[in-house]
Amino acid sequence: MDKKQRDQYRMRIKKGILAECLLVMMAVAVLAGQRGRLEERRAAGSSVLAIEEDYIKWVDFTVSYEALCNAYEWDVKSHGTEHEVHWVELLAYTAAKTGGSFDKSALKTMEKAAQALFEGEKTLEELTEKLQYYPYYLDAYDAAIGGLVGEYDEDSGNGNYESKYGLKGYFPLARGFDYTHYDDFGVSRSYGYKRRHLGHDMMGLVGTPIMCIESGIVEALGWNQYGGWRIGIRSFDGKRYYYYAHLRQNYPYAEGLEEGSVVTAGDVIGYG
């Protein structure tokens, strides 16, 4: 396999991971979009995040797979150039322009805007000046997917790490372990109390290693009647909360994991 084929294969893999991560992100991040800035306070030698009262309680994240891939490619392509195109901003502009639609016409609108931004013909401020709902979509989409793309270190072999830019979110199941999945996001639940199921069920083999999707801090650890043995991880920016539920009964967590632990994307945090 030559370099071009390897690059094409890597891009296909990244798109696949992006799609799968977003299925999970819809389940774990859609309620956690916080509007307004985070203020950091230091007390008793520790950092505590205080969140302003104004925040988004619900987000209907309906961005299409094609739109996500196109916006992602523009972000990576333009990174480090004079006119960078950020994928969340591009998606938010498109949603504000089209009323949240991502049909073929919307994709053309997004492509035209990305080209204008990349070539320096327009600034983001000029494009969004008269779009009333752009700030809302920007806050909402940044809360849902803002932590998935950026700089990361990749092992290039022999313990050497190379700085990369691109998709840095991990798939929640270890590679090589078979699984099935069932998209019942939004389906009603009645056990305990009436509510919607805000998750995407993924059923793996007993003992399947569970991977940390995004770096953050363990906020919840233990058993409850709704999720069984579960782990709750909050992203460092406080905007996303990942809920890993129904873990293995007798050995649910990785060794040494506890509330307050700092975990890194790609770490094994538990077992299914």
Side-chain angles (χ1 to χ4, degrees), residues 223-236:
W223 185 91
N224 70 22
Q225 61 179 321
Y226 305 111
W229 296 102
R230 91 287 191 224
I231 304 171
I233 297 175
R234 178 81 60 183
S235 61
F236 288 132

Side-chain angles (χ1 to χ4, degrees), residues 64-129:
S64 69
Y65 170 71
E66 188 174 1
L68 286 165
C69 290
N70 290 352
Y72 170 75
E73 289 175 359
W74 272 110
D75 192 310
V76 174
K77 173 184 176 180
S78 64
H79 178 68
T81 65
E82 183 179 357
H83 303 291
E84 293 187 337
V85 179
H86 299 284
W87 78 316
V88 174
E89 294 174 348
L90 183 58
L91 290 168
Y93 161 79
T94 306
K97 187 77 172 177
T98 66
S101 170
F102 283 93
D103 56 15
K104 290 184 178 180
S105 176
L107 291 175
K108 291 180 180 178
T109 297
M110 186 173 74
E111 187 71 16
K112 183 178 179 180
Q115 194 70 47
L117 289 169
F118 183 63
E119 294 178 357
E121 296 176 359
K122 292 280 187 178
T123 65
L124 184 67
E125 290 73 20
E126 290 172 335
L127 286 175
T128 60
E129 183 180 7

Side-chain angles (χ1 to χ4, degrees), residues 27-77:
V28 298
V30 86
L31 288 178
Q34 279 122 8
R35 191 171 185 170
R37 63 191 178 83
L38 296 174
E39 297 179 342
E40 186 179 61
R41 303 178 191 168
R42 294 191 180 275
S46 63
S47 297
V48 180
L49 288 176
I51 303 170
E52 293 182 352
E53 292 182 0
D54 183 25
Y55 64 96
I56 298 172
K57 295 183 179 179
W58 180 265
V59 176
D60 283 324
F61 191 84
T62 57
V63 183
S64 69
Y65 170 71
E66 188 174 1
L68 286 165
C69 290
N70 290 352
Y72 170 75
E73 289 175 359
W74 272 110
D75 192 310
V76 174
K77 173 184 176 180

